[in-house]
Every structure is written in C-alpha cells, then in structure tokens.
Amino acid sequence: MDSLADSRRQLRIALIAIAIVIPLGIFGFMVIEKFSFLDALWTTIITISTIGYGDIYAETSVGRVFTILLVIFGLSTFAYGLQAVFSFFVSQEVRDLRRVRQTERKIAKLRGHYIICGEGELVDKTIGYLLDLSEMRREHQDQQILGRVNANLGHYFGANETGIRAWIKKVVSRIEMLFLRILNPGETLLDLIVVITTDHSYAQHLRSENLLVVEGDATNHETLLNAGLEHAQAIVVMLGSDTQTLLTVLTANSSIDRMEDHEHADIYITAATFGDDMNEKMLRVGADNVIAPFDVAGQFLNNATLRPAVNDFFNHILFNEKTSEQIVQLFIYADSPWLGKRIGQLELHEKHHTGIIGLREADGTYLYAPNADYILTEGDILLAVTPGPYIPPLQEACRPGKSTRPVINKWRHEIFDDAPQKSEQTYSLMEAEEAIKQMSQHFVICGNDRVINNSIRKLSPDRPFVIISNSNEMTSRLLKLGFRVIHGDPTQEETLLKAGVDRALALMVSITQNADSVLTILNARLLSSTLLITATAPTDEMLPKLHQAGADRVVSPFRIAAQFVLLATTRPAVSDFMQHVIFNYHSGLETTELYMQDNSPWIGKSLEELLLERIFRAGILGIRQANGQYIYSPQGTYVIKENDILIITVPMINSDELRSIAHGTENKLPTTLRRKSILRNY
C-alpha cells in the first residue's frame, strides 16, 4: 500500500477512535458518578492524559472499574493517534508534498526564467555545466572579497604576510563572505532554471542541487503551466524521443498562443533532436531553434581541428568558466541613448574595455566586425565582448534603468540542406593512395560514428583532407564525392602511414570503440610529435585516457551540445552569429586564423594600413597575442607583432588569397598547429 495513503488511513482511524473514547468517557462519568458535563469532560481528559489531579475522581466501585478501562483504551487510542500523526507529518511523501508546495510558490515568483524539459545525458550535462558556472561565479566573488581584504589590511599591516595579518585576513574574509551571501546571495542562471522531468529519482537528485523541479509529462499543458510557462523567457526541450520532443514543442507553442497576455508571446523554444530529418518538422510546429547534438559535435570537432585558434577564440568568450571576458547581447530599443549614434562615438574601448565583434540588424542581417562609422538603428543587436565587471555599466549605458534583453518574437531559424559537397574530380582507391603520397600539411580524418559523418558532410573534398575508413560503404561513397580515402584499420601504423599522418598538420579521431580510439592516437603520436590531434570521448572517463594517449583536444559530444543548447536559448543572436561566420557555405563566409610568422609582410604594420575591409571585405574579430592574451575587435592603430594570430572573418572567395598574402609564403599554414593550442577538454 502507498505509505502516504496508509498514513492517512491510520490518522483517520485514530481520529475516529478519539471521537468515540472522549464522548464515551463523558457519558460514563455522567451516568455512573452523576458528574456534570464539565466535570465529566475534565475527568475524562485528565484520566486519558494520565495527569490525574485528584480533585475530582470516581468514588463508586463501578466508576473506578470504568476509569481503569478508560485509562487502558483511552491511552492506547491517544498513543496510536500520536504515532499516526507523527508518521503522517514526517513521512517522505509529506516532505515531498511540502517541497512541491514550496517549489510552486518559488516558481510563481519567477519572471523571465528558463524551462528545461527532459532527462538523460544531454540534460545532465546541461545542468552540470550550469553548476560549474555557478561554482566559478562563487569562487570569483570570493577572490574579489579576498582582494579587498588584502588591500584594506595592507594599509594597517604593510605588505609583509605576518602571522597575525594572515590570521586576521582569514577571519575577516570569512565573515565578509558569510554576510554577503546572507544579505546579497546574487542571482545566477541556475536560479532561473525550472526542470520538468518524469523521472522521480532524477528529480530528487536535481532537488539535492537546489534546483526547481516539476515532476510531470512535458507534453501536458498543465505541466507546462505549473513550470511557469506564462512568465518564462524560454523553454528547452531535450527528451530522449524525437516524437515526444515534437509533441512537447507543439503543446508549448499551442499554450503560448492561448495566453491572454500577449506580452509573453515571444517565449523562445529550443528543441534538441537526434534524427536527421526532424529539424524542419520542429520548426513547423513552433520551435525557434533546433539543435542536433551530433551535428553540433561534428561542427565543433571540425573547428577544433581545422581552425584551432578560431575555436579557442570563441570558446574563450563563450564556454570558458574561468575567463573574465564574456560576450553579451545589447538590444537597441527606441528609448536607447545609443540610437542614431555611430559606434565610434560610444567610445566603448575607452569607457568599458569593450569590443563589438558582430551586429544583427533588425531585418536579420549579420555584420561582422562593424566599423566605427556604422549608425545604430532601432532593433539592432550588438554583440559585445567585455570583462564581467563592466557588463552592468555597459547595459546601463545602452538603456538606463531598463532591460537590454533582445526582442526575439517571430525569430525563426532557417534550416539549410546540408547535402555533402561533391568535387568535379573523383578517385578510385588506387588513385586516391597515389594522390595522398604527394600531399603534406594536410588533415587526416578517421572514425565510424555519427559525429565523424556529420563532420565530413560539412567539408569540401577539394580541400586537403584524407579520410581513413574501414567501412566498404563509407569508402565507396566518399570516393564518389571526390575525397581521398585510405581503406583500412586506423589502429594500424601501416594505415596511418598510408594516410600521411607523419606529414600531416592534424588528425581528427572519432571512433566508437574506446580501445581503438586510444590505440589510433598512440600510434599517430609516435609517428609525429608536431601533429595536432583532436578526438571525441563518449564518456567522461575517457577524457583523461585520450589525453594521456596523446590527444591535444578532447571533445565530449553531449557536453558541447549542452553548451550550445544553453547558448542558443540564452543568447540566440550570439549562437546565430557563430553559425553565420565560422564556416558557412550558405552565407559564403569563413572565420580564419592568420599566423604572423617571421616572414609575414604584415608584421610591424598597423591594422588600418592593411585596408582589409576595402580590399577583401574582411573584418578582424580579434587577435591572440604571443602570450595567449586576446584583444577583441582591435582598433585600427594596433601594430601587428610577430607570433600574433589574427582572427578574421572573410568571404570564402577571398580567403585563400588573403592567407597567401598574410603568410608571405606558398606555405599557407604553419608547420604545426600544436604549439599554438592548449590541451583542453570540451
């Protein structure tokens, strides 16, 4: 029997028994001892409670027998009642019920929050990422407090770390941290999350992390309302079944349409899908954005392998919990004091240490690295990179006293047909092997999972790629598309040598079998110490193992997907901008990295001298300096130094010429990408 129902039954029995015993005691004393009603009630209560004051008592033999029986049955009844009451109020079900009520009250107070629907690895990685961000924020606040304490104590104790100074610093900082957390705990993204799940044990786990959870079916209208849909900013659907996800998106969109308050009709819906043919369907039933985890992981793997500096640049401002710089969206409302002004007039570099790397116009057109003469109009969204402490004053300057949250109503994404590209030249297997013998500084790709297939689908066979495949079907298909393919086992040194791994710039590995993945990386590293190796890890346990085997970067597909889901939900303009400029055949743009080596003719010149926008329609998003520090949207007066890496967005038709001129050599890539990279997990 359900324990809550059992506790309720016991409580009802106890109340009924008490309702019988007390009137029976009153009646007995009134009849037997001729007590008044009040005296009978008094005697019954003190008898059952065993207080027994002795001022009124039974004098007859029958009365005393009756009193004994009343004590036995009454005391048993009250003991049973107390046990039933205790069991009811301390039962797990009642505690859960109280927690549900508390959750309902907290959700009712939320405004502009995010609803996450689902359970499983993708949701778990998303929540884990949020927990990491929250912890990093707390550590950052603690470091700021310690800095203030150190500065203040320095006035009194000097610069020396004496024993008493260290002790006072520790005590004062702990007290200040405690008071700040009580008086001003601060709000993180984690405080604005409501999770809907049908998994009770998973809900309990999330509650232990202090998250707000609604247990129920996300396809149900009432469940969405219980999660505060009416006041939400966005909803993310990440269910294990694409059909369930589709139904949830349809229900959410239908619920939004039925809302009487049209102010909330712009709730943003993001859906995660696992089927290749579901994207268009999700958009048709009301999703604003669709994220395919394996597709996202494939894109990221491509970027980490082919454009490592570009990848690090965006990762630094988007997903790195430890960095101080962040990219924010600033919407130009009709009441913004920036409206009608040129970007240069705002003096963002000087006043806020801020660089504008992109801009979304009201009609949906994206501009990369907009110049200082651009005049801001209503509906523009600025993509600004700025240190964390400067974000509040920057938002205040953009729109004093009000929100700069972008208006995203009717912001629907277009899904392009990502059919694989085909070259005019095709190969037989023998012809491919002969062509590979002549190649150097190329990119080798090997794998057999959905991530690698999504990666290859976005690559041009005319570029210097060599693919290792042990699948007859995959080998035949890629040869017909014009790729150079080695058919064989990538774990074998002979196969890697045929692919020219010892002469290659980078190797991309995404193999389902963990042991094969480790062995492939080990052999490749033995063949080349300068090779940049990127790999995917199906589980978190594999991350350190692949690093130990020799991988420079290890991609966790679901962690990457979780990061992009959050990005697409909380900063959709930023997410769209990345997809628009990094490498997009539909927009005709790519973001490339130019290495300022000792033979580059650009070293010693200022950026404005290069006339990149006029000649190549190129815009500089940032510069990675030799010490690893980044400059975002650098000013034209910046003088290029040796070992700088320029992060430039340029039309694809101009990219090869731009690289050739910038590098000052026929060799369009550095001899190794590895020395410019950082060992990192994603």
Side-chain angles (χ1 to χ4, degrees):
M1 179 180 291
D2 180 76
S3 57
L4 181 59
D6 190 42
S7 296
R8 286 176 172 172
R9 183 182 61 81
Q10 292 179 10
L11 191 58
R12 283 196 298 269
I13 293 173
L15 291 174
I16 292 171
I18 292 172
I20 293 173
V21 169
I22 292 178
L24 186 62
I26 295 172
F27 178 77
F29 283 121
M30 290 179 68
V31 171
I32 298 170
E33 297 294 331
K34 310 301 181 184
F35 289 169
S36 67
F37 173 80
L38 185 59
D39 287 343
L41 174 63
W42 170 259
T43 306
T44 300
I45 297 300
I46 64 173
T47 300
I48 293 174
S49 63
T50 69
I51 296 175
Y53 279 86
D55 52 343
I56 302 175
Y57 56 89
E59 297 181 356
T60 67
S61 299
V62 176
R64 290 176 180 177
V65 172
F66 176 78
T67 302
I68 293 171
L69 294 174
L70 183 63
V71 170
I72 295 172
F73 288 105
L75 190 58
S76 300
T77 299
F78 267 85
Y80 181 80
L82 288 173
Q83 180 268 333
V85 170
F86 182 79
S87 297
F88 180 80
F89 285 103
V90 302
S91 67
Q92 182 63 46
E93 288 75 10
V94 171
R95 291 202 301 270
D96 289 344
L97 190 61
R98 286 199 298 268
R99 180 172 283 180
V100 167
R101 297 286 184 266
Q102 292 173 353
T103 299
E104 289 175 350
R105 288 194 292 270
K106 290 179 180 178
I107 292 175
K109 296 177 182 178
L110 289 177
R111 295 294 183 273
H113 60 286
Y114 302 91
I115 301 173
I116 296 177
C117 305
E119 59 271 331
E121 187 172 6
L122 185 55
V123 176
D124 208 39
K125 286 286 191 285
T126 303
I127 299 300
Y129 179 59
L130 288 171
L131 290 171
D132 290 343
L133 289 177
S134 179
E135 183 62 28
M136 289 304 303
R137 181 178 184 272
R138 171 162 288 187
E139 289 180 8
H140 181 67
Q141 290 175 335
D142 290 348
Q143 290 299 320
Q144 288 182 322
I145 293 172
L146 286 173
R148 290 199 301 269
V149 171
N150 273 330
N152 292 330
L153 291 180
H155 293 298
Y156 301 100
F157 295 95
N160 294 325
E161 284 281 353
T162 61
I164 187 172
R165 181 174 182 264
W167 182 82
I168 293 176
K169 179 185 73 172
K170 183 177 180 180
V171 173
V172 172
S173 61
R174 290 290 176 86
I175 293 174
E176 187 173 355
M177 287 177 194
L178 179 62
F179 273 96
L180 280 178
R181 287 175 183 173
I182 294 174
L183 299 176
N184 183 27
E187 187 179 80
T188 67
L189 185 56
L190 205 63
D191 301 314
L192 297 174
I193 296 293
V194 177
V195 181
I196 298 176
T197 179
T198 56
D199 188 330
H200 179 69
S201 60
Y202 186 63
Q204 294 290 77
H205 165 68
L206 294 178
R207 290 189 182 107
S208 69
E209 299 287 355
N210 297 318
L211 270 82
L212 297 175
V213 182
V214 173
E215 290 188 55
D217 185 355
T219 64
N220 187 287
H221 170 73
E222 292 299 324
T223 304
L224 294 175
L225 291 181
N226 291 339
L229 182 66
E230 290 182 311
H231 303 292
Q233 181 175 161
I235 178 171
V236 188
V237 187
M238 296 186 286
L239 301 175
S241 164
D242 282 348
T243 55
Q244 289 293 100
T245 298
L246 188 74
L247 184 56
T248 300
V249 171
L250 184 61
T251 303
N253 196 53
S254 175
S255 300
I256 293 168
D257 290 340
R258 295 208 302 264
M259 288 181 186
E260 296 180 1
D261 187 354
H262 296 289
E263 176 188 347
H264 302 292
D266 62 346
I267 297 175
Y268 196 76
I269 302 176
T270 302
T273 66
F274 296 91
D276 295 332
D277 60 342
M278 294 298 294
N279 291 4
E280 184 62 35
K281 294 185 179 73
M282 292 293 177
L283 292 178
R284 286 183 180 178
V285 299
D288 296 282
N289 198 359
V290 182
I291 301 293
F294 294 109
D295 187 50
V296 167
Q299 291 183 48
F300 195 90
L301 191 61
N302 280 345
N303 293 333
T305 307
L306 310 178
R307 294 170 286 274
V310 172
N311 187 74
D312 282 355
F313 173 81
F314 281 106
N315 183 75
H316 187 73
I317 55 180
L318 292 173
F319 307 129
N320 189 347
E321 299 93 341
K322 297 182 180 180
T323 185
S324 60
E325 293 87 2
Q326 299 178 36
I327 182 168
V328 296
Q329 306 171 141
L330 300 172
F331 189 83
I332 305 300
Y333 283 87
D335 57 355
S336 171
W338 291 2
L339 185 66
K341 291 186 177 181
R342 289 181 170 83
I343 291 179
Q345 291 179 263
L346 304 178
E347 299 181 333
L348 297 177
H349 276 284
E350 296 80 4
K351 293 180 179 179
H352 301 285
H353 300 271
T354 298
I356 305 299
I357 65 170
L359 185 148
R360 185 188 192 270
E361 296 181 302
D363 62 359
T365 302
Y366 277 96
L367 304 180
Y368 49 91
N371 62 48
D373 293 327
Y374 180 88
I375 299 175
L376 297 174
T377 60
E378 184 179 352
D380 286 347
I381 302 177
L382 293 174
L383 306 181
V385 180
T386 186
Y390 287 91
I391 293 178
L394 181 68
Q395 293 172 327
E396 179 69 15
C398 180
R399 196 185 186 208
K402 296 182 180 179
S403 170
T404 58
R405 173 193 167 194
V407 174
I408 56 177
N409 191 26
K410 304 302 181 185
W411 186 342
R412 294 293 188 266
H413 293 248
E414 184 177 357
I415 298 295
F416 297 105
D417 179 19
D418 278 334
Q421 300 176 62
K422 186 174 182 180
S423 174
E424 294 182 1
Q425 180 180 0
T426 60
Y427 298 91
S428 68
L429 198 56
M430 292 184 62
E431 289 171 342
E433 290 184 8
E434 288 300 317
I436 292 169
K437 291 178 181 178
Q438 310 304 317
M439 296 177 68
S440 63
Q441 292 195 296
H442 54 286
F443 300 89
V444 180
I445 302 168
C446 62
N448 54 8
D449 60 3
R450 292 183 64 180
V451 174
I452 213 70
N453 279 303
N454 279 284
S455 297
I456 294 173
R457 197 171 63 211
K458 300 179 184 303
L459 301 177
S460 169
D462 293 324
R463 297 283 184 172
F465 298 121
V466 174
I467 299 174
I468 300 175
S469 169
N470 58 6
S471 163
N472 291 329
E473 184 277 329
M474 183 176 179
T475 298
S476 175
R477 174 168 50 85
L478 294 177
L479 287 171
K480 290 177 182 178
L481 291 174
F483 284 100
R484 290 156 287 249
V485 182
I486 294 295
H487 186 77
D489 184 355
T491 65
Q492 300 299 313
E493 185 175 316
E494 179 185 359
T495 305
L496 295 174
L497 287 172
K498 280 186 179 181
V501 164
D502 54 331
R503 308 184 304 275
L505 272 174
L507 170 69
M508 183 192 302
V509 181
S510 188
I511 300 175
T512 306
Q513 296 78 16
N514 292 337
D516 289 351
S517 184
V518 170
L519 186 55
T520 299
I521 294 170
L522 276 171
N523 285 334
R525 179 57 69 213
L526 290 173
L527 291 173
S528 174
S529 61
T530 61
L531 186 72
L532 172 68
I533 301 178
T534 58
T536 59
T539 62
D540 290 344
E541 291 75 15
M542 285 301 297
L543 293 171
K545 295 177 182 178
L546 294 176
H547 272 315
Q548 192 174 0
D552 297 290
R553 287 171 168 82
V554 182
V555 174
S556 172
F558 279 100
R559 180 174 175 81
I560 288 297
Q563 291 174 336
F564 271 87
V565 164
L566 283 175
L567 179 66
T569 304
T570 59
R571 291 175 285 175
V574 176
S575 173
D576 286 358
F577 176 74
M578 284 184 60
Q579 295 181 46
H580 185 74
V581 303
I582 288 185
F583 198 83
N584 190 327
Y585 282 109
H586 304 288
S587 66
L589 296 175
E590 69 171 287
T591 300
T592 189
E593 51 202 50
L594 303 178
Y595 294 83
M596 298 295 100
Q597 299 174 107
D598 53 8
N599 57 349
S600 171
W602 289 5
I603 296 174
K605 293 184 178 181
S606 66
L607 297 179
E608 57 191 5
E609 289 181 69
L610 304 178
L611 303 175
L612 296 180
E613 184 178 2
R614 182 183 303 177
I615 299 174
F616 298 101
R617 291 191 294 148
I620 301 180
L621 302 186
I623 296 175
R624 179 176 174 174
Q625 299 177 297
N627 61 3
Q629 298 297 311
Y630 286 97
I631 300 175
Y632 303 96
S633 182
Q635 296 178 299
T637 55
Y638 180 85
V639 177
I640 298 172
K641 303 175 183 60
E642 186 175 347
N643 293 323
D644 280 351
I645 303 177
L646 274 57
I647 311 298
I648 296 183
T649 299
V650 60
M652 290 179 178
I653 57 174
N654 299 332
S655 59
D656 284 343
E657 182 183 0
L658 180 65
R659 277 191 289 264
S660 179
I661 294 173
H663 292 151
T665 175
E666 291 300 317
N667 176 18
K668 296 177 183 176
L669 288 170
T671 56
T672 176
L673 299 177
R674 194 181 187 212
R675 62 188 176 86
K676 300 295 183 183
S677 69
I678 302 173
L679 299 183
R680 185 173 294 162
N681 297 332
Y682 296 101

